[in-house]
Amino acid sequence: MMKRYPFLFNFDVRNKFFSSTAFGPASRNLGMSAVASLARRDDPTGLHDLIQLGRLRHERVKVPRDDATLLDWAVNVLDVHAEKKSILEVEFMGEEGTGLGPTLEFYSLVAAELQRKDLAMWLVDDNFTHKPRDKSDHYVQRPGGLFPAPLPQDNIDEVVGLFGFLGTLLAKCLQDSRLIDLPLSTSFIKLICRESPICPQSQVGISKLVALSDERDEIMNNGSLSDAEKTHKVEGLLLDYNGTKCKVEDLGGLNFFLFSFTSYPLVEGGERVDLTLQNARQYVDLTINFYFELGLRKQMAAFRDGFNRVFPITNLLSFTKDELHLKLCGDQTPQWTRDDVIAYTEPKLGFTKDSTGFLHFVNVMCDLSGSERKSFLQFATGCSSLPPGGLANLSPHLTIVKKVNVDSGDGSYPSVNTCVHYLKLPDYSSEAILKERLLAATREKGFHLN
């Protein structure tokens, strides 16, 4: 019922069912008495007991905080733990932090590494002809999110292996209820769900080529025109290519090779088949098929194999693409209002809802830009995204306490116990100082006693 008719159940019920059943029974010693208790509870769905049956044990690993080797460590760690019915907790060597905070930091760092351009996993909007301006320029940044780069299917073993790892990583995040800061595109989520994605027709003027081909077909099918008139009108059709009006045949060098590749023929002998208005539609169809089928076949097969090592990917069928995106990546553009911050943040140990220091904090939170909000969440929770439902569903809720020690004046900085979302905030004399010190703290890295 959940897989075939998911519309019959709201998201909360489907999500509880998924959490309770997707990963198999983890507690083998409960026996039939626990199962029999399903009939004795007042819960008509029985989901409460199923959750108890599905609890997983925790296993801890240590990794170095080293950009050069982090991805290799992550691949090895996930390879060992993929098929274990346990929750993975990560610590960084030489650091004091344990539990949820370092674990989410690990997933965040791995997510950043997977977005490197040099891995050749994702479509990019540049052609690598310029020298990277800074470190951020080494990462794929696309407005629509990450989508796999379609590639000729020979000699891509390294990329295929990375997609296998990605499948295992995302499945492990779902199993362990971890969010990962990976801006996946809706089209890629559709591929994961085995739906037909939306064609990115902005690719190198494909949409213009389709429109011109359709206009030619309309002219040729116009019975009121003579053959000579049809020929004259078709010869007058021009393509706007990189700001220049020209005939398709005059583009020069465009044939049945795929855009962005110099060695992949779309048809046998494609290098000898010139692109014209007559065959433009065939060219577009073959290109789209390469982008979403032929050029992704090995990558998506490896992704599903890697995912299935943790739990069957078919268990995702009860979720829509938008729901699955939220479950995996959380809210990539975190939003909150003043009422949200007051309602879902708990002031304690020196602060109350009416404290000047706490109200300064509320005002600063509402004044943060989108990137600053993500930085704050990364600092305070270990993940730069919010779960579905925003601050209301952050578990545990953010707690704010007054930081009291000899160095807790305007010159000191906030500190945090990330695992329990516990922010220790000096009682600053102004909002401006609070914001400056808070943002400075978010730029620090590492888990140490504070």
Side-chain angles (χ1 to χ4, degrees):
M1 290 286 285
M2 284 288 181
K3 292 179 181 178
R4 294 188 179 185
Y5 312 108
F7 57 87
L8 294 175
F9 308 93
N10 64 36
F11 174 75
D12 287 339
V13 171
R14 284 180 283 120
N15 197 36
K16 288 180 180 178
F17 183 85
F18 170 81
S19 300
S20 305
T21 64
F23 318 122
S27 303
R28 299 182 179 181
N29 61 342
L30 294 180
M32 290 303 296
S33 60
V35 178
S37 71
L38 290 173
R40 298 196 300 268
R41 297 291 180 92
D42 293 331
D43 177 13
T45 66
L47 291 176
H48 172 82
D49 300 270
L50 286 174
I51 292 172
Q52 305 306 313
L53 283 169
R55 289 180 186 267
L56 304 174
R57 69 181 185 276
H58 291 239
E59 292 195 357
R60 188 173 297 171
V61 298
K62 287 191 174 185
V63 301
R65 186 187 287 272
D66 179 6
D67 291 345
T69 61
L70 180 67
L71 189 56
D72 291 335
W73 272 85
V75 170
N76 290 331
V77 167
L78 268 295
D79 183 58
V80 171
H81 288 268
E83 295 165 14
K84 293 186 177 182
K85 299 303 181 183
S86 60
I87 293 176
L88 181 64
E89 288 189 356
V90 180
E91 299 176 9
F92 290 99
M93 296 177 182
E95 299 182 16
E96 300 290 344
T98 63
L100 181 62
T103 302
L104 292 179
E105 173 83 354
F106 167 76
Y107 283 123
S108 179
L109 293 173
V110 172
E113 286 296 293
L114 285 173
Q115 295 174 65
R116 284 169 24 205
K117 290 179 180 179
D118 65 306
L119 297 182
M121 294 178 66
W122 311 106
L123 279 178
V124 295
D125 290 332
D126 59 65
N127 56 12
F128 298 98
T129 58
H130 66 283
K131 184 178 180 179
R133 295 183 295 276
D134 51 46
K135 185 176 181 180
S136 65
D137 207 34
H138 292 279
Y139 299 95
V140 179
Q141 295 177 327
R142 304 185 72 243
L146 300 175
F147 186 82
L151 301 169
Q153 297 292 281
D154 51 345
N155 301 320
I156 59 169
D157 291 347
E158 187 172 347
V159 173
V160 170
L162 287 172
F163 271 97
F165 165 71
L166 177 64
T168 301
L169 177 70
L170 295 185
K172 194 65 179 173
C173 287
L174 287 171
Q175 182 188 67
D176 295 0
S177 297
R178 312 298 193 208
L179 294 177
I180 185 167
D181 191 12
L182 199 60
L184 303 176
S185 66
T186 302
S187 296
F188 184 44
I189 296 294
K190 284 186 173 183
L191 283 182
I192 294 175
C193 299
R194 292 185 177 272
E195 297 180 21
S196 298
I198 300 172
C199 173
Q201 293 206 344
S202 60
Q203 285 289 330
V204 201
I206 283 182
S207 59
K208 295 178 181 178
L209 192 58
V210 171
L212 204 63
S213 177
D214 290 342
E215 190 173 351
R216 173 199 174 273
D217 292 343
E218 185 177 343
I219 292 172
M220 297 305 294
N221 293 328
N222 190 338
S224 64
L225 298 176
S226 65
D227 289 344
E229 289 174 321
K230 291 178 181 178
T231 300
H232 176 73
K233 284 183 174 291
V234 168
E235 289 180 349
L237 294 177
L238 299 177
L239 179 68
D240 184 354
Y241 185 74
N242 289 339
T244 302
K245 297 281 187 179
C246 61
K247 292 183 178 181
V248 174
E249 293 83 352
D250 295 337
L251 288 175
L254 277 184
N255 47 40
F256 267 53
F257 273 95
L258 187 69
F259 282 132
S260 303
F261 295 99
T262 58
S263 60
Y264 186 80
L266 291 169
V267 295
E268 186 175 352
E271 69 277 9
R272 297 186 299 275
V273 181
D274 291 330
L275 177 62
T276 67
L277 273 178
Q278 285 78 6
N279 60 26
R281 172 62 71 175
Q282 180 190 12
Y283 175 87
V284 170
D285 290 343
L286 290 171
T287 298
I288 292 173
N289 184 56
F290 182 84
Y291 267 109
F292 296 114
E293 178 59 33
L294 294 181
L296 301 180
R297 186 167 290 169
K298 286 186 178 180
Q299 298 96 303
M300 292 309 299
F303 177 90
R304 294 188 178 98
D305 288 344
F307 197 105
N308 286 331
R309 291 186 64 191
V310 182
F311 67 90
I313 199 170
T314 53
N315 287 336
L316 302 179
L317 293 177
S318 59
F319 298 108
T320 67
K321 64 183 186 301
D322 295 327
E323 291 168 344
L324 183 55
H325 193 279
L326 276 175
K327 281 183 65 64
L328 282 169
C329 309
D331 185 356
Q332 292 288 308
T333 55
Q335 302 289 330
W336 53 69
T337 65
R338 179 182 176 83
D339 290 341
D340 291 335
V341 178
I342 292 175
Y344 304 118
T345 301
E346 301 176 3
K348 294 181 178 179
L349 300 181
F351 284 137
T352 68
K353 296 280 186 180
D354 301 319
S355 298
T356 301
F358 176 71
L359 294 177
H360 282 170
F361 170 79
V362 172
N363 293 337
V364 167
M365 287 284 285
C366 295
D367 190 50
L368 297 177
S369 66
S371 60
E372 289 170 343
R373 292 184 181 204
K374 290 178 73 69
S375 295
F376 170 78
L377 289 173
Q378 182 71 51
F379 171 69
T381 71
C383 180
S384 64
S385 302
L386 283 173
L391 284 176
N393 288 337
L394 184 63
S395 180
H397 282 169
L398 185 65
T399 299
I400 312 295
V401 302
K402 184 184 292 187
K403 188 172 187 178
V404 180
N405 54 45
V406 293
D407 299 320
S408 61
D410 282 353
S412 63
Y413 293 89
S415 57
V416 65
N417 293 112
T418 310
C419 302
V420 289
H421 308 161
Y422 194 85
L423 179 65
K424 289 170 273 188
L425 190 70
D427 195 4
Y428 295 112
S429 60
S430 71
E431 289 181 20
I433 295 175
L434 191 158
K435 184 174 182 179
E436 188 276 326
R437 293 291 186 264
L438 181 62
L439 292 179
T442 66
R443 293 189 285 270
E444 294 298 314
K445 296 185 181 299
F447 290 85
H448 306 281
L449 290 176
N450 56 64

